[in-house]
């Protein structure tokens, strides 16, 4: 055998062995780094989605939990189903939840490797080494990305990573269908059609942005697949068209359908308009890109709420700069698409991945976990270009890429090792996220866990000064106090005044209702039902709350509970009924019935139950739930009479 061929074979074997060792080492280190963040803790979105886990004790209750999701239009039942086996661990053992999140991330990392490898093979059919190192580089950079860490360290964001798992699975099926022997038509058909249809369904029922899989597949089809591999039969073309174009069209139509509704009825709990959100997104997408490529510890946080939106092209100036940047980036990548197609492919993949969560849908402005799938386009373009350049400057690029990945690993280790020190990391997040409402709340709770009431009160007071129009923070100022606090009466007066004309904040009414329970007054012994009644009245005098049916219903319920606790039963029942009439719901129905039973107003209770029955007849989606609750109310009434 010629010497050149022997050396080529030897190099190939050494490269494969080296790639395997590097990949295995990186994979083990990845799991270890995330393991350092255990046991972790539950955060703001966990309780609303997982609070009913303790109710699961059989198949029926498990199904009720899985089908009760309201985090998105489709309920995300597949994601909720993954929490069912962990019901016994809620809420004492967050480690069990995060361990599954880390496991899912490990599986998705393998899918990212396979996808990058397959995409590279499509362009380098005669080179077995280059695609292998591209796949390895992309999967390591993507999986180590510190900016994506909150996706796995927040239990409920399993919804994001699970949807990502099925999106990457579907993309893999599509890409590898074009790499197998074209004569193996059965396997090709299974991968092409089964992967798209099956994975899209699974992804959508994990999280709604799974609906982007067909669109991302189109991006691969239009901007990456070489012409010579698109040898479809007539039937394949029609089926592929149905599976790719129709769902993609539905996504676009859904966005257009939501446009007028969002424009006219944007959620009052958000501090920006749809126009402001749309205008702010170019800046946020640029910030996402910066954090993906040049991560820093201060931007890796769950608390990015209340960011100020753009209010004009030059307000702030970064708005216009971002728009110009993206225009030039797209124009340049499009111009270079024949010489360097990966730039345009990576850029458009990134943008399409943000299509649902970065347009006018009524969501908060910024969340790092939204980049879980879109980040693939960025890292694929970076690694592909580096390894292409590395063919000319191998040592320089190898050292540079190694140092770049080492930087990611170091920052990720800083995140994971500091995650459980809630006081230290909380102080860091508050310092670097001055607009956040949740960061000071998180820090105050961590202080309270250590009995430091003064520090907790101080951090909430400082936050309320930074955000004086935030009604929720104003309310929370009154819930942290010392047993002998001479300033407390003047604090109540001050907060009452602020609430009477504060802008609407979705959590304020919920917080005040929660405080109206005696069990929630322990944090501040001075805050009794008289003060809570005053605060309820202050918000009820505020037109922003009075004009919102759901908020005003909660406030009337809070007022009723405080009146009932103070012994004003007749007035309390009037307010309970008012709460139900404004916004009929099962919660207010239960509380009203319990109040009537508690005062032995049995005839009135029976009449009220009939009122609820009439409401149940008008329900469509949740009629059975209302009927079951009515049966329980009637049993409760009968038990009290007997």
């Amino acid at each position: 055998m010629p010497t050149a061929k022997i050396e080529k074979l030897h190099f190939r074997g050494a490269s494969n062995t080296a790639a395997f060792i590097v990949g295995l080492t990186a994979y083990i280190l990845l799991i270890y780094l995330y393991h350092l963040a255990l046991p972790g803790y539950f955060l703001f979105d966990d309780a609303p989605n997982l609070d009913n886990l303790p109710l699961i004790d059989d198949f029926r209750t498990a199904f009720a939990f899985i089908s009760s999701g309201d985090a998105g239009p489709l309920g995300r039942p597949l994601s909720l189903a993954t929490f069912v086996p962990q019901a016994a661990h809620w809420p004492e053992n967050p480690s069990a939840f995060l361990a599954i999140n880390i496991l899912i991330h490990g599986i998705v990392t393998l899918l990212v490797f396979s996808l990058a490898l397959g995409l590279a093979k499509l362009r380098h059919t005669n080179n077995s080494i280059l695609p292998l190192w591209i796949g390895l580089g992309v999967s390591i950079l993507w999986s180590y990305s510190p900016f994506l860490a909150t996706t796995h360290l927040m239990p409920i964001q399993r919804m994001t990573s699970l949807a990502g798992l099925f999106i990457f699975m579907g993309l893999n099926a599509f890409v590898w269908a074009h790499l197998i022997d074209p004569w193996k038509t059965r396997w090709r058909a299974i991968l092409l059609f089964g992967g798209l249809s099956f994975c899209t369904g699974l992804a959508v029922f994990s999280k709604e942005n799974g609906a982007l899989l067909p669109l991302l597949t189109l991006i691969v089809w239009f901007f990456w697949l070489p012409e010579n591999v698109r040898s479809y039969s007539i039937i394949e073309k029609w089926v592929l068209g149905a599976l790719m174009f129709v769902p993609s069209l539905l996504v676009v139509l859904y966005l257009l359908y939501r446009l007028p509704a969002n424009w006219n009825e944007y959620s009052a709990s958000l501090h920006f308009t749809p126009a402001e959100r749309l205008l702010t997104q170019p800046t946020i997408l640029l910030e996402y890109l910066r954090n993906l490529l040049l991560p820093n510890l201060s931007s890796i946080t769950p608390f990015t709420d209340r960011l100020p939106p753009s209010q004009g092209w030059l307000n702030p100036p970064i708005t216009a700069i971002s728009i110009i940047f993206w225009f030039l980036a797209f124009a340049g990548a499009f111009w270079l698409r024949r010489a360097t197609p990966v730039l345009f492919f990576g850029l458009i993949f990134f943008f399409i991945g943000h299509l649902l969560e970065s347009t006018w849908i009524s969501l908060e402005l910024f969340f790092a976990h939204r980049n879980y799938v879109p980040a693939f386009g960025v890292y694929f373009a970076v690694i592909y270009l580096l390894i292409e350049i590395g063919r000319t400057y191998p040592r320089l690029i190898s050292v540079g890429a190694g140092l770049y990945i080492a930087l990611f690993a170091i920052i990720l280790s800083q995140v994971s090792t500091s995650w459980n020190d809630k006081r230290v990391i909380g102080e860091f997040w508050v310092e670097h996220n001055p607009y956040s409402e949740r960061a000071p709340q998180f820090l105050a709770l961590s202080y309270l866990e250590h009995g430091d009431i003064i520090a907790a009160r101080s951090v909430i007071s400082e936050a309320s000064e930074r955000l004086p129009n935030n009604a929720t923070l104003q309310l929370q100022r009154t819930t942290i106090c010392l047993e002998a606090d001479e300033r407390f009466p003047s604090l109540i007066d001050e907060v009452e005044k602020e609430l009477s004309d504060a802008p609407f904040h979705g959590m304020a009414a919920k917080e005040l209702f929660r405080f109206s329970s005696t069990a929630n007054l322990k944090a501040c012994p001075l805050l009794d039902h008289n003060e809570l009644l005053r605060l309820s009245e202050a918000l009820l005098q505020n037109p922003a709350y009075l004009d919102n049916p759901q908020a005003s219903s909660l406030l009337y319920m809070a007022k009723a509970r405080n009146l009932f606790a103070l012994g004003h039963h007749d007035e309390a029942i009037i307010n309970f009924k008012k709460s139900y009439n404004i916004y009929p719901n099962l919660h207010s129905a239960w509380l009203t019935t319990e109040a009537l039973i508690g005062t032995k107003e049995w005839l009135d209770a029976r009449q009220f139950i009939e009122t609820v029955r009439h409401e149940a007849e008008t329900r469509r989606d949740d009629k059975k739930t209302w009927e079951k609750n009515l049966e329980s109310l009637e049993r409760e009434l009968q038990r009290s009479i007997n």
Side-chain angles (χ1 to χ4, degrees):
M1 183 179 289
T3 305
K5 288 188 176 181
I6 293 173
E7 288 177 352
K8 187 176 180 182
L9 288 172
H10 177 73
F11 172 74
R12 181 174 297 176
S15 295
N16 286 335
T17 302
F20 177 78
I21 293 171
V22 169
L24 182 61
T25 303
Y27 195 78
I28 293 171
L29 181 60
L30 173 71
I31 301 302
Y32 172 73
L33 289 177
Y34 271 107
H35 173 77
L36 294 175
L38 300 179
Y41 36 81
F42 295 107
L43 283 159
F44 50 91
D45 277 344
D46 295 323
N49 290 282
L50 304 178
D51 259 349
N52 288 331
L53 279 175
L55 301 178
I56 297 174
D57 56 13
D58 56 20
F59 177 80
R60 183 183 61 80
T61 51
F63 180 78
F65 172 78
I66 292 168
S67 58
S68 65
D70 58 1
L74 300 177
R76 307 178 185 180
L78 191 56
S79 291
L80 291 178
T82 66
F83 291 105
V84 171
Q86 300 175 286
H89 295 286
W90 173 268
E92 292 82 11
N93 185 15
S95 179
F97 292 80
L98 294 187
I100 299 298
N101 287 16
I102 295 168
L103 175 63
I104 292 172
H105 184 49
I107 297 170
V108 181
T109 297
L110 298 177
L111 291 171
V112 167
F113 165 75
S114 174
L115 177 59
L117 172 66
L119 289 170
K121 275 182 171 292
L122 286 169
R123 294 278 175 162
H124 296 279
T125 54
N126 297 321
N127 189 327
S128 63
I129 301 301
L130 206 65
L132 180 63
W133 284 97
I134 289 173
L136 200 57
V138 173
S139 62
I140 293 175
L141 203 60
W142 178 88
S143 63
Y144 275 66
S145 177
F147 193 55
L148 303 179
T150 54
T151 310
H152 322 297
L153 300 180
M154 299 171 67
I156 200 61
Q157 289 311 325
R158 181 183 304 175
M159 295 176 171
T160 297
S161 57
L162 200 63
L165 184 149
F166 295 120
I167 289 174
F168 284 120
M169 191 182 293
L171 288 170
N172 264 285
F174 182 78
V175 167
W176 283 93
H178 294 86
L179 288 166
I180 63 174
D181 189 332
W183 293 103
K184 295 179 179 178
T185 55
R186 180 179 299 176
W187 284 107
R188 177 185 169 99
I190 289 172
L191 288 173
L192 277 176
F193 312 135
L196 257 177
S197 56
F198 187 62
C199 292
T200 300
L202 293 175
V204 165
F205 286 108
S206 297
K207 191 176 180 181
E208 287 74 16
N209 58 356
L212 293 174
L213 172 56
L215 262 173
L216 293 172
T217 308
L218 278 174
I219 297 305
V220 175
W221 191 79
F222 273 116
F223 301 109
W224 193 255
L225 285 183
E227 289 287 343
N228 63 318
V229 301
R230 300 182 198 169
S231 54
Y232 307 122
S233 67
I234 296 296
I235 295 176
E236 284 180 329
K237 287 180 180 178
W238 277 100
V239 176
L240 273 179
L243 291 175
M244 289 195 298
F245 286 94
V246 173
S248 300
L249 180 62
L250 290 175
V251 169
V252 174
L253 290 175
Y254 173 76
L255 282 170
L256 293 174
Y257 166 75
R258 288 291 301 268
L259 178 60
N262 278 344
W263 226 262
N264 297 323
E265 302 173 9
Y266 216 58
S267 172
S269 63
L270 298 172
H271 62 288
F272 46 83
T273 67
E276 288 172 341
R277 188 181 200 277
L278 205 54
L279 195 60
T280 309
Q281 286 308 309
T283 304
I284 285 176
L285 290 172
L286 186 58
E287 184 68 7
Y288 285 159
L289 184 65
R290 183 184 70 82
N291 281 296
L292 288 169
L293 295 176
L294 298 171
N296 64 86
L297 197 59
S298 62
S299 63
I300 304 160
T301 170
F303 304 116
T304 51
D305 52 304
R306 312 301 292 183
L307 290 175
S310 298
Q311 297 179 331
W313 299 100
L314 295 173
N315 185 17
I318 189 64
T319 305
I321 293 170
S322 300
I323 293 170
I324 293 169
F325 170 84
W326 288 118
F327 175 79
L328 293 176
F330 264 102
F334 185 78
W335 184 57
L336 294 169
R337 73 189 188 283
R338 294 193 182 279
T340 315
V342 73
L343 280 175
F344 192 73
F345 171 74
L347 195 60
I348 199 166
F349 190 100
F350 176 72
F351 260 71
I352 292 298
H354 280 292
L355 184 62
L356 285 178
E357 294 177 306
S358 296
T359 50
W360 50 79
I361 302 296
S362 53
L363 301 168
E364 290 186 22
L365 291 173
F366 187 108
F367 268 126
H369 64 256
R370 292 174 183 167
N371 291 274
Y372 193 66
V373 172
F376 175 85
V378 174
Y379 293 136
F380 181 73
V382 168
I383 294 297
Y384 193 94
L385 285 174
L386 282 176
I387 291 180
E388 283 276 287
I389 296 169
R391 300 167 78 178
T392 307
Y393 308 100
R395 289 187 179 179
L396 178 64
I397 296 302
S398 297
V399 172
L403 291 174
Y404 190 42
I405 290 171
L407 172 67
F408 275 44
I410 290 168
I411 297 175
L412 181 59
S413 69
Q414 291 176 320
V415 173
S416 57
T417 53
S418 62
W419 189 261
N420 286 303
D421 194 337
K422 294 169 73 173
R423 283 189 294 177
V424 172
I425 197 69
E427 289 167 356
F428 183 78
W429 286 337
V430 167
E431 179 184 353
H432 289 87
N433 298 275
Y435 299 106
S436 175
E437 166 195 331
R438 294 176 182 141
Q441 292 168 346
F442 172 86
L443 180 57
L445 285 174
S446 67
Y447 283 142
L448 288 174
E449 288 173 3
H450 290 84
D452 195 343
I453 296 175
I454 294 176
R457 183 172 61 174
S458 175
V459 73
I460 291 296
S461 296
E462 290 172 4
S464 67
E465 290 173 8
R466 289 195 303 272
L467 302 166
N469 292 327
N470 190 301
T472 301
L473 286 173
Q474 292 293 340
L475 282 169
Q476 288 169 346
R477 291 174 63 196
T478 69
T479 63
I480 306 172
C481 65
L482 301 172
E483 291 189 13
D485 190 343
E486 295 179 356
R487 277 201 68 251
F488 191 75
S490 60
L491 173 64
I492 291 292
D493 292 340
E494 185 180 327
V495 172
E496 184 181 19
K497 183 179 178 181
E498 293 286 349
L499 294 180
S500 62
D501 59 359
F504 184 86
H505 189 276
M507 285 301 298
K510 295 177 183 178
E511 285 287 87
L512 199 48
F513 173 74
R514 186 169 65 86
F515 299 157
S516 65
S517 169
T518 305
N520 289 317
L521 300 180
K522 294 177 182 177
C524 180
L526 299 177
L527 183 63
D528 61 23
H529 289 287
N530 285 301
E531 277 75 26
L532 287 169
L533 189 59
R534 288 175 58 190
L535 298 177
S536 301
E537 291 283 10
L539 278 182
L540 282 170
Q541 292 171 10
N542 185 329
Y545 288 85
L546 195 59
D547 294 341
N548 185 298
Q550 193 169 1
S552 59
S553 174
L554 275 172
L555 290 171
Y556 277 116
M557 268 200 285
K559 180 180 177 181
R561 289 175 78 171
N562 289 313
L563 286 167
F564 202 89
L566 292 168
H568 306 305
H569 295 163
D570 291 342
E571 194 176 351
I573 288 171
I574 291 172
N575 282 276
F576 272 126
K577 290 181 177 180
K578 187 178 290 187
S579 167
Y580 177 83
N581 290 332
I582 290 172
Y583 187 79
N585 62 87
L586 288 170
H587 195 187
S588 58
W590 265 104
L591 290 178
T592 305
T593 305
E594 286 177 347
L596 290 167
I597 291 173
T599 54
K600 298 184 179 180
E601 297 288 343
W602 291 312
L603 180 59
D604 200 358
R606 193 173 297 282
Q607 290 174 343
F608 179 74
I609 289 174
E610 287 303 313
T611 301
V612 177
R613 189 181 305 283
H614 288 306
E615 176 64 28
E617 291 298 324
T618 67
R619 298 279 166 165
R620 292 183 179 179
D621 297 336
D622 55 352
K623 185 175 181 179
K624 290 184 178 179
T625 304
W626 277 70
E627 289 174 348
K628 287 180 180 178
N629 277 270
L630 272 169
E631 292 173 6
S632 299
L633 286 173
E634 288 177 334
R635 284 196 298 270
E636 188 71 21
L637 175 59
Q638 196 59 43
R639 193 180 301 116
S640 66
I641 294 173
N642 295 336

